[in-house]
Amino acid sequence: MLNNRQERLLELLMERQDWMTSRQLARLLNVTDRTIRSDVDAVNKQPGVVGIESNVRRGYRAVKRQERGEEAESRESKSHGGTDIPQTPGARCIYIIQRLLFESRELNLTELQSQIYISGYSIQNDLKRIRKMIEPYGGLKLVRNLECVSLQGDEHVKRKFYRDLLVAEVQENFLNLNRLAHLYKHFDLIEVKDIFVKVLEEYDYSIHESMFPMLIVHAGTSIERILSYHYVCSEEIRPGLKDTIEYQIADTFFERIARRLHIQVKEGEVGMFALVIMGRRASNYASDHIKLGDKWLNTRRLVENSLVRLMDVFGVDYRRDEDLTAGLKMHIHSLIERARNQVALEDVFLEEIKENYPLVFEMGVCITGYLEEELGLPIADMEIGFLALHLGAASERLNSVRKYRAMMIMPYNQTFFDMCEKRIMEMFRERIEIVKRCSYFEEREVSQAAPDLILTTTPIDHSLNILTVPVSVFVDSETEARILEALNNLDKNRFRLEFASHIGHLMRREHYHGSLVCRTPEEVIGILCRGLMEEGIVEEGFRDSVLERERMSPTSFANALAVPHAFQAYASRSTIAVARLSQPVKWGGFEVRLVMLFAINDSDRRMIKIFFDWVSNLIGSPRQLERLTEECSYEEFVERVME
C-alpha cells in the first residue's frame, strides 16, 4: 500500500511522461533525495501496471512494467551496482564526495552500507579519510546528524576542492596506452602507435603530450570500426584541407595501416583524422553546422553551452581551451551522425575510464545529459567515454601549466603597483600567476576571483580561508621569504590531497598480509610478487627485477620499513603489496617488520615521487611508523597510513 507522497511521486512521473532527476522531484515534493530513492523502491515493490525506471544519468520515469524488459533492468542494475560499486578505500572516498557534492544534500549511512556492500566500521574510516582530505579547505566540514552525513561549507570552497581533486586524478599521462592496448582485440594498438610516431618523425611534426593518447585511441577506434566494415560517412573535403601537413600525415599513416592490416581506408577517414591532429586549427576546415531531421544545429554553440554547463555544475572552466573546443565540436558532429543513423560505437574503454577517472567520467555524463536535452534523442553510454577522453586531456593540459593563483592588494599608485608585481613575478614566475589586482579588500570580489593566496602591502583582517601574505612594496628579502614559505605550505596541502586521493586506490585487501612468517628478504619479495603475478598485475620478470634492485642497495629504511621495487614499470595496474612480519627480518643494515612493495603503471609515474615523499615523512615520525608495524586488520592499516 503506497502512502500519499509515494502516490504523488508516481502521478508526477506519469504526468511528465519523461525523465525527472531526483533533485527535481525532491524540490517538488519538499523531501530529500534520499526519500525519493526510498519511495521509488517502495513503488517498485508494489504490484501494478506502472513502475519506475531508474537511470544514473537521467533520473526516474514512469513506465509500464512489461515495457521495462531485460534491457531496462540491466541498465538500472548497472547504474546502481556491478562495476559502479567502489572497490577500494580511495575509490569509496571519491564516490562519497561525489554524492555529497552533486547528488544529495545528505547521505544516509545505513543505506550507503547496503548500496556499496561494506560495514559501518569501513564507512567510519572512509569519513575520517575525507575529513583529512578537506582539512586544508577551511570552512568545509562533514556534519553527522544521527545516521546521515552532509558536506557543509561555502560553495566556492567546495568547487575549489573538486577542481583540486580533478587535477590530482589526471596527474601526468592521462590514459595509459599499454593498459588500453589489450582492449583492442583485432590488432596491436602499440604497433599502431609506433607507426604513427614514425610518421610524425618523418614529417618533423610535434604533438602536445596530453593530446597523444586521445589521438591514438581515436586512430584505434577508427581501425576497429573499419575492420567491422563501418566507415565514416563520406563528406566533401573542405577546400585547402588536402594541402595541409596534417592531411599528409593522416594519409601516410592510414596508407601504412592499410598495408599492415589489409584494410581499405576511405578518404573521409583520412580527413577526419587530419582534423583531429590539427586541434584548434580544425575549425578553419570543419563546418559549424550539421543537419538533424529538418533543422540545422550549430555544433560550436553546443560545445560552448556544454562547457558553460560544466562551469556551472563543477566550477571547472575549460572555455579558453581551443583544442578542447575543436575536439568536442568534431566529436559532436560524429555523435550526431551516429545517432541519426542508429550506429553504435563498440564498448571499448568505458569501464576503464569510469573506474580510473571517476571525476572526468562524471563530467562526460554531464555533457551527455545536456546534449540529450538539446538534440531530443538518446545518446549511447559509450559516447560518454569519448567525451571523457577530450575532457581528461584538457584537464591534463590545465594541470601541466597550473600555477598558484595570487591576488594583489595595494593601496598605492599605478607605478608602485607595477614595480611590485614585476619584482614578485621575476622571483616566482614558475609558481604563481597574478589573477587580480585591487587597491582595497572586498570579500565578495575576492571570493569570486578564488585565489590560492593574497599578497597585500597593508594589514587585512578577513574570515576567508585564503592564505594571506604581507609584502613590502619594494619586495625585500623578508617578503621573498614569506612568499616562499606560503608557496611551500600550499605545496604541502596539494601533496596531502594527492596522497589521500591516490594511495587508497593502490592498497587492496587481497595484497595485504597481516602476519607473515619469513626468514629472508628474498622470501618476502617472492611471496608478494607471486600474489601480483597470479592476478596478472606484473609479469614473471618483475620478481627478478626487484631482487636485482635489492642487490644494488637494500631498500630498507630505519629499523622498521623496507620498500622493495623495480626500476621499470611492469605493472598493468598500480598496486602496493603489504606484508607485516611476525618476526623482524634482517634487511641490509636494519631489522625490518613492515614491507611495502610497490608496482607502478606508466600512467601513475607521479605516484613514485608521492610515495617516497610519504616514506620520507614517515621516517621522521617514529610514532606513526611504530603504529604501522603493529598487528592490525587491512582496514586499520589503511586508516593508519592515511593519518
Side-chain angles (χ1 to χ4, degrees):
M1 186 73 178
L2 299 179
N3 61 34
N4 291 337
R5 186 185 63 245
Q6 292 160 354
E7 290 178 352
R8 178 58 181 150
L9 168 65
L10 193 54
E11 288 173 3
L12 281 171
L13 292 172
M14 292 173 65
E15 290 171 3
R16 179 68 176 268
Q17 288 294 302
D18 201 355
W19 296 97
M20 295 183 71
T21 66
S22 60
R23 186 169 298 178
Q24 290 173 322
L25 291 166
R27 189 164 55 246
L28 289 171
L29 296 173
N30 195 29
V31 295
T32 65
D33 295 2
R34 172 173 55 86
T35 301
I36 295 297
R37 288 196 299 274
S38 298
D39 286 350
V40 168
D41 290 339
V43 170
N44 285 333
K45 288 176 181 177
Q46 291 292 319
V49 177
V50 179
I52 298 177
E53 181 181 356
S54 305
N55 182 283
V56 71
R57 291 191 288 116
R58 303 175 189 176
Y60 303 101
R61 69 173 179 178
V63 292
K64 292 182 179 179
R65 293 187 188 271
Q66 59 266 33
E67 290 180 355
R68 297 186 72 190
E70 293 182 2
E71 181 181 351
E73 290 176 5
S74 173
R75 186 164 60 243
E76 182 177 346
S77 173
K78 187 174 181 180
S79 298
H80 296 285
T83 55
D84 283 354
I85 298 174
Q87 302 295 321
T88 64
R92 289 200 304 270
C93 287
I94 296 298
Y95 175 84
I96 293 171
I97 289 169
Q98 279 186 284
R99 293 279 303 273
L100 289 171
L101 283 174
F102 303 116
E103 291 185 24
S104 306
R105 290 185 290 272
E106 62 180 13
L107 284 178
N108 183 289
L109 300 180
T110 303
E111 290 183 3
L112 185 63
Q113 286 178 232
S114 62
Q115 289 167 358
I116 58 179
Y117 304 109
I118 60 171
S119 67
Y121 176 78
S122 296
I123 288 283
Q124 295 309 316
N125 285 336
D126 291 338
L127 296 180
K128 289 180 183 178
R129 283 188 279 274
I130 293 172
R131 287 190 174 96
K132 285 283 185 183
M133 294 169 72
I134 65 176
E135 269 184 10
Y137 301 84
L140 277 192
K141 56 183 178 179
L142 279 179
V143 177
R144 178 79 178 267
N145 181 18
L146 299 178
E147 287 303 306
C148 295
V149 65
S150 60
L151 181 63
Q152 297 185 6
D154 182 76
E155 181 64 25
H156 290 291
V157 181
K158 286 183 180 180
R159 294 193 174 199
K160 184 179 188 306
F161 177 47
Y162 181 83
R163 288 196 298 271
D164 290 347
L165 276 177
L166 178 66
V167 165
E169 181 175 275
V170 298
Q171 282 284 4
E172 299 183 6
N173 256 349
F174 174 73
L175 286 184
N176 177 251
L177 294 178
N178 289 314
R179 193 162 59 193
L180 288 177
H182 73 280
L183 301 175
Y184 293 88
K185 306 299 183 184
H186 303 106
F187 61 93
D188 185 346
L189 185 67
I190 300 303
E191 184 181 5
V192 169
K193 182 265 295 183
D194 292 339
I195 292 172
F196 185 58
V197 168
K198 182 67 175 174
V199 173
L200 291 176
E201 290 174 350
E202 291 173 8
Y203 282 89
D204 193 24
Y205 191 94
S206 61
I207 288 175
H208 194 288
E209 184 180 354
S210 68
M211 296 291 292
F212 193 78
M214 187 186 68
L215 284 171
I216 298 303
V217 169
H218 179 98
T221 302
S222 297
I223 294 167
E224 187 91 9
R225 299 290 293 165
I226 292 171
L227 287 168
S228 302
Y229 304 102
H230 295 289
Y231 297 92
V232 169
C233 293
S234 181
E235 296 183 1
E236 181 182 352
I237 301 296
R238 299 293 290 273
L241 179 60
K242 286 188 176 182
D243 298 328
T244 65
I245 187 174
E246 288 85 3
Y247 187 91
Q248 298 304 313
I249 289 171
D251 192 40
T252 303
F253 168 69
F254 272 116
E255 178 187 341
R256 295 181 186 178
I257 290 295
R259 288 202 307 265
R260 176 68 183 84
L261 298 179
H262 308 291
I263 58 177
Q264 180 185 3
V265 179
K266 296 186 178 181
E267 190 177 63
E269 206 76 60
V270 177
M272 176 65 72
F273 194 52
L275 293 174
V276 175
I277 296 172
M278 279 185 182
R280 70 188 68 182
R281 292 191 299 108
S283 296
N284 299 326
Y285 301 94
S287 172
D288 285 348
H289 296 85
I290 187 171
K291 194 172 185 180
L292 179 62
D294 58 354
K295 65 178 179 179
W296 286 91
L297 299 171
N298 186 319
T299 49
R300 174 169 288 277
R301 185 69 52 79
L302 287 174
V303 170
E304 290 172 353
N305 291 342
S306 295
L307 298 182
V308 169
R309 175 73 66 92
L310 288 184
M311 180 66 185
D312 290 342
V313 175
F314 300 102
V316 183
D317 193 354
Y318 294 116
R319 292 173 295 179
R320 296 182 183 178
D321 191 326
E322 295 180 17
D323 286 324
L324 174 63
T325 299
L328 285 179
K329 191 184 85 167
M330 285 185 292
H331 181 78
I332 290 175
H333 267 272
S334 302
L335 181 154
I336 292 173
E337 285 282 356
R338 287 189 289 272
R340 185 170 57 191
N341 298 316
Q342 296 184 326
V343 174
L345 288 170
E346 298 294 326
D347 187 356
V348 180
F349 46 79
L350 182 67
E351 293 303 326
E352 177 80 17
I353 294 176
K354 185 187 297 186
E355 178 181 353
N356 294 286
Y357 307 98
L359 303 180
V360 175
F361 178 82
E362 193 66 25
M363 291 193 293
V365 170
C366 179
I367 289 185
T368 303
Y370 165 73
L371 292 176
E372 286 183 331
E373 294 173 10
E374 292 297 310
L375 303 181
L377 48 79
I379 295 175
D381 284 352
M382 187 53 214
E383 301 289 353
I384 299 173
F386 279 92
L387 292 170
L389 273 178
H390 290 280
L391 295 168
S395 297
E396 190 166 300
R397 287 194 295 275
L398 182 68
N399 181 45
S400 65
V401 296
R402 188 171 186 256
K403 301 175 183 178
Y404 291 114
R405 296 164 52 85
M407 183 174 186
M408 289 187 64
I409 299 176
M410 182 186 299
Y412 292 105
N413 63 35
Q414 187 69 35
T415 302
F416 281 119
F417 219 139
D418 292 343
M419 180 184 68
C420 183
E421 179 180 351
K422 181 180 179 182
R423 287 281 293 137
I424 290 173
M425 293 308 293
E426 284 174 355
M427 295 175 177
F428 301 103
R429 187 177 305 277
E430 299 302 316
R431 301 185 67 184
I432 67 174
E433 59 175 336
I434 306 298
V435 296
K436 194 170 185 63
R437 298 173 19 158
C438 294
S439 58
Y440 60 90
F441 178 88
E442 201 277 312
E443 192 166 296
R444 185 176 62 179
E445 192 170 351
V446 175
S447 294
Q448 290 175 347
D452 296 303
L453 73 161
I454 297 172
L455 306 177
T456 176
T457 58
T458 186
I460 296 175
D461 184 22
H462 63 83
S463 59
L464 298 177
N465 181 49
I466 301 174
L467 197 56
T468 301
V469 182
V471 300
S472 164
V473 68
F474 301 106
V475 192
D476 53 16
S477 58
E478 184 178 354
T479 293
E480 181 180 3
R482 286 173 178 169
I483 296 176
L484 183 60
E485 181 183 6
L487 293 175
N488 289 339
N489 286 333
L490 289 171
D491 283 343
K492 288 178 182 178
N493 289 336
R494 181 182 290 180
F495 165 78
R496 289 175 61 187
L497 183 62
E498 285 187 48
F499 181 79
S501 61
H502 282 81
I503 201 70
H505 289 278
L506 304 187
M507 294 184 296
R508 293 177 176 265
R509 184 187 306 275
E510 56 267 33
H511 302 296
Y512 175 75
H513 304 265
S515 185
L516 199 61
V517 178
C518 294
R519 295 183 178 181
T520 65
E522 291 77 11
E523 190 178 354
V524 179
I525 290 172
I527 291 173
L528 295 180
C529 289
R530 189 182 310 124
L532 297 178
M533 284 189 290
E534 288 174 353
E535 198 172 325
I537 294 174
V538 299
E539 300 173 356
E540 289 187 7
F542 182 77
R543 174 181 174 275
D544 293 337
S545 182
V546 173
L547 291 175
E548 180 183 350
R549 167 64 185 84
E550 286 295 328
R551 284 191 289 270
M552 297 182 66
S553 176
T555 57
S556 52
F557 293 84
N559 275 316
L561 175 67
V563 288
H565 56 276
F567 274 127
Q568 300 178 3
Y570 286 84
S572 62
R573 183 179 73 233
S574 296
T575 306
I576 296 178
V578 179
R580 196 198 66 79
L581 306 177
S582 296
Q583 297 294 329
V585 169
K586 185 70 174 179
W587 202 302
F590 300 103
E591 297 286 332
V592 165
R593 290 173 290 161
L594 176 66
V595 181
M596 300 180 72
L597 183 149
F598 70 87
I600 301 294
N601 183 275
D602 281 341
S603 63
D604 296 322
R605 287 196 304 259
R606 183 175 172 78
M607 280 307 301
I608 297 175
K609 179 182 184 304
I610 292 175
F611 180 74
F612 275 109
D613 283 347
W614 173 76
V615 169
S616 177
N617 292 332
L618 183 64
I619 299 304
S621 304
R623 176 58 190 142
Q624 186 182 3
L625 182 56
E626 179 66 26
R627 275 177 50 76
L628 286 179
T629 62
E630 294 171 355
E631 185 173 358
C632 60
S633 66
Y634 163 75
E635 289 82 4
E636 290 170 330
F637 182 81
V638 174
E639 177 62 29
R640 292 173 186 180
V641 167
M642 303 294 287
E643 289 179 349

